[in-house]
Every structure is written in C-alpha cells, then in structure tokens.
Amino acid sequence: MSNLYLVTMGPSPFSEKARWSLDLLGRSYTEERCIPGLHRPALKRIHAGTTCPALVVNKKDVLTDSSDILRWVDSQLPAHQKLFPDDPIQGSVVKDFCQRCDVKLAPEIIAFVQTYLTRAQFVELCSKGAAEDQVKKFRWMSFFIHFGLKSKLKLNPSNFKMSVKRIGQFFESVDHLLHGGKNYLYGDRITAADIVFASYAGAALCLPEYGGAALNFQDAPDEVREEVKRWRETAAGKFVQSLYKDWRKRRL
C-alpha cells in the first residue's frame, strides 16, 4: 500500500471530489475503484466506514468522508494555495457553499444520472475502472443492486423532474456568483468551492474529462441529454467545463 491509498466508487461525485483534491495536491496515490454494493470488503480492509471515498494516509490514518479528505489536502498545501481562505469571512462563505453542495446538489445529481439508466448502462457505468473479479461478480448481482438502488433512492420520473428543477436552481445561483465574467466563485484563485461544485456538476454535464465514471453524452438516456445540453450553455455549465479543461484534464 502506498502512503496515500484511496478507495472510491467510479460514478460517485463524492469520490471525484476526493480524487480531484489529491490530484491538485500533486502527490502520487493508489486508487482502488469499487462497484456499488461490492465496496464493503475494500473499506473493511482499511478499517474505514461503509461509504466511499475513504483515504488511508501513511498506512495508518483513515479519512472516511470526502469533506475530511478535502480539508486534509488543504492542510498540506502552502499558504498561497489554500483551498479554504484564511480570511474569516471568505473562508466561512466557501465552507458554507461546499456544505450546500454536499446537501443540496450531490443527491440530486446522483438521482438525475441514475433514474433512467437501463441495467446494461448501470453495469457499464459502475464497472469502469473496477477490478475484473468485481466486474464478473457484479454482472450476475446487478439486477438486485440496480433494483435496490432505485428503491432506496426513490428513483422515478416524478422525482427526476424535481431533481432537474433543483439542479437548475443551483446552477442559477452559481450563474449569479459568476456575474461579471469572474474566473472563480470566490476570490481571484481556485478554492474548495470551485472544486466541490465542479466535481458534482461534472457528472451532471457528462464531461469526458470527468475523473470518475461519467455517462457518455451520446449514450445517455434522452431525458438526461435534453437537460445536459441546456445546462452546458449556462454560465455555471461553461464555468465547470473550463475548470475541467484548465485544471482537471492536464492532471489525468
């Protein structure tokens, strides 16, 4: 095991946040991508909790939440690259925005991506980057996992429409933050707010530069493609695309 060992799930926006944070830090790490429903053994092996992502630091310290991983990365960065600004007011605003992304945005994006997936599309999305033994096991378990996920998250057309509405409202709030042609959400350099929003929104925009397992836009369900095209044209959507091209793609 390397000094940094990350356990993720490919489609998880929370895993993308952790992945992007570590890539920004610039230190090498080992990533183990797991399939939803088959991730428990990997987490148990590193004495983590029950959800991904989880990060092992120096083979002993375990961080079991994407926000904890982001804060740990911030603690390793020099002062001029801090993701949470030292200024008390700006730092508080950035922290509050990240929490709103966690609570208000990420769950809606997961529902948006998952609702209309066929079982074959679900298997393909979840299998990207996973070990072959997990993929083989997943193929015959996928019906139960796919059905169970739809039931647990209440994925249905009515809730899909509500998720689309809430994601659109969140994008509109980011449009206002970017008013005047700003390059970043808060201040004149990248902060945790930019990383968190882009990590989550990148999944909804089906971006090819996404570090996890994103839907291929051309193969996405019609209901998803229609909204993706609209969101890509917003100020928030264009902002996320530029972040992925300028900050993310060159590190992958």
Side-chain angles (χ1 to χ4, degrees):
M1 185 183 295
S2 65
N3 287 337
L4 294 175
Y5 192 84
L6 181 67
V7 178
T8 66
M9 284 191 286
S12 163
F14 298 106
S15 292
E16 173 68 350
K17 178 172 73 174
R19 196 183 293 113
W20 190 336
S21 303
L22 291 172
D23 288 339
L24 191 66
L25 183 60
R27 288 167 54 180
S28 62
Y29 63 92
T30 300
E31 179 184 0
E32 180 179 355
R33 291 196 187 185
C34 298
I35 290 173
L38 302 178
H39 61 289
R40 297 293 180 87
L43 293 174
K44 185 176 181 180
R45 191 168 63 248
I46 62 173
H47 306 291
T50 59
T51 60
C52 293
L55 177 69
V56 182
V57 180
N58 295 326
K59 302 181 181 181
K60 57 178 181 177
D61 300 320
V62 183
L63 303 175
T64 59
D65 181 85
S66 62
S67 295
D68 291 339
I69 295 171
L70 183 63
R71 285 190 289 269
W72 178 82
V73 168
D74 184 59
S75 73
Q76 305 299 303
L77 291 169
H80 68 283
Q81 292 181 344
K82 289 291 185 183
L83 300 176
F84 292 94
D86 289 331
D87 178 80
I89 296 177
Q90 192 178 27
S92 177
V93 169
V94 168
K95 181 180 178 181
D96 177 69
F97 179 85
C98 292
Q99 289 176 337
R100 284 195 292 118
C101 285
D102 289 346
V103 176
K104 301 291 186 181
L105 182 61
E108 304 300 344
I109 286 178
I110 292 171
F112 170 75
V113 171
Q114 297 281 353
T115 297
Y116 283 103
L117 288 184
T118 65
R119 184 157 67 95
Q121 289 172 321
F122 177 70
V123 169
E124 180 182 3
L125 184 69
C126 294
S127 297
K128 289 180 179 178
E132 185 58 32
D133 60 332
Q134 275 203 13
V135 174
K136 288 180 180 178
K137 190 175 183 181
F138 184 55
R139 288 194 183 108
W140 63 266
M141 293 180 62
S142 60
F143 173 81
F144 304 100
I145 296 175
H146 188 220
F147 178 80
L149 186 66
K150 282 183 175 289
S151 177
K152 180 181 179 181
L153 299 181
K154 300 179 180 178
L155 303 181
N156 56 61
S158 177
N159 287 341
F160 177 84
K161 291 180 181 178
M162 185 59 68
S163 292
V164 167
K165 180 180 178 180
R166 289 170 177 165
I167 294 169
Q169 290 172 339
F170 206 103
F171 270 52
E172 287 177 9
S173 71
V174 173
D175 287 347
H176 290 301
L177 288 175
L178 296 169
H179 182 71
K182 291 171 60 179
N183 293 321
Y184 303 105
L185 295 179
Y186 299 102
D188 57 1
R189 61 181 179 82
I190 196 168
T191 67
D194 304 298
I195 290 175
V196 173
F197 178 65
S199 296
Y200 298 168
L205 296 176
C206 301
L207 298 184
E209 299 90 357
Y210 192 73
L215 283 174
N216 183 307
F217 175 75
Q218 298 301 329
D219 298 332
D222 292 341
E223 296 85 351
V224 170
R225 276 206 313 274
E226 180 180 342
E227 304 303 333
V228 170
K229 285 192 290 186
R230 184 163 58 87
W231 291 335
R232 283 182 175 183
E233 292 304 312
T234 65
K238 292 177 180 178
F239 168 69
V240 171
Q241 292 174 77
S242 70
L243 279 183
Y244 268 88
K245 289 175 181 175
D246 295 340
W247 284 90
R248 195 80 182 92
K249 188 175 181 180
R250 68 188 184 192
R251 287 171 168 79
L252 291 176

